[in-house]
């Protein structure tokens, strides 16, 4: 797996990888992570990946992190 680059953001770590004819866009916040796989042939070049990760994309992911955290908290309370 090759690191293509990082996208700076104040609320999460965003790393772009290349692996097995796919790009992986990985967002991390604390102990949670989200990974999006993009077929290498679906983008023109690696620069397009940085355009995909725009503010609406990141805002949706941050909301999902909140939902994931709440889901885990509830599950742990039931256990």
């Amino acid at each position: 797996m090759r690191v293509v680059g990082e996208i700076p953001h104040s609320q999460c770590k965003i790393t772009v990888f290349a692996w097995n004819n796919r790009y992986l866009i990985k967002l991390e916040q604390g102990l949670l992570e989200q990974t999006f796989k993009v077929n290498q042939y679906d983008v023109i070049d690696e620069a397009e990946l940085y355009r995909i990760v725009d503010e609406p994309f990141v805002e949706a992911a941050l909301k999902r992190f909140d939902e994931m955290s709440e889901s885990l908290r509830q599950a742990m309370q039931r256990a």
Side-chain angles (χ1 to χ4, degrees), residues 33-52:
E33 66 181 46
Q34 299 175 51
T35 302
F36 298 85
K37 296 177 183 178
V38 178
N39 191 319
Q40 177 182 355
Y41 306 107
D42 289 341
V43 294
I44 295 169
D45 56 19
E46 292 177 357
E48 188 174 353
L49 296 167
Y50 291 84
R51 292 189 297 274
I52 290 170

Side-chain angles (χ1 to χ4, degrees), residues 8-77:
H9 198 277
S10 63
Q11 297 182 39
C12 63
K13 180 179 179 182
I14 306 171
T15 310
V16 179
F17 299 94
W19 182 65
N20 277 358
N21 297 321
R22 293 188 185 126
Y23 291 109
L24 283 68
I25 302 168
K26 181 177 178 182
L27 294 91
E28 299 174 82
Q29 187 181 62
L31 298 175
L32 302 173
E33 66 181 46
Q34 299 175 51
T35 302
F36 298 85
K37 296 177 183 178
V38 178
N39 191 319
Q40 177 182 355
Y41 306 107
D42 289 341
V43 294
I44 295 169
D45 56 19
E46 292 177 357
E48 188 174 353
L49 296 167
Y50 291 84
R51 292 189 297 274
I52 290 170
V53 184
D54 60 5
E55 197 55 33
F57 180 88
V58 175
E59 287 299 320
L62 292 173
K63 182 179 177 186
R64 207 171 297 113
F65 276 128
D66 290 340
E67 294 167 354
M68 291 168 67
S69 179
E70 179 62 19
S71 178
L72 178 60
R73 185 189 67 74
Q74 290 176 8
M76 291 178 75
Q77 284 182 339

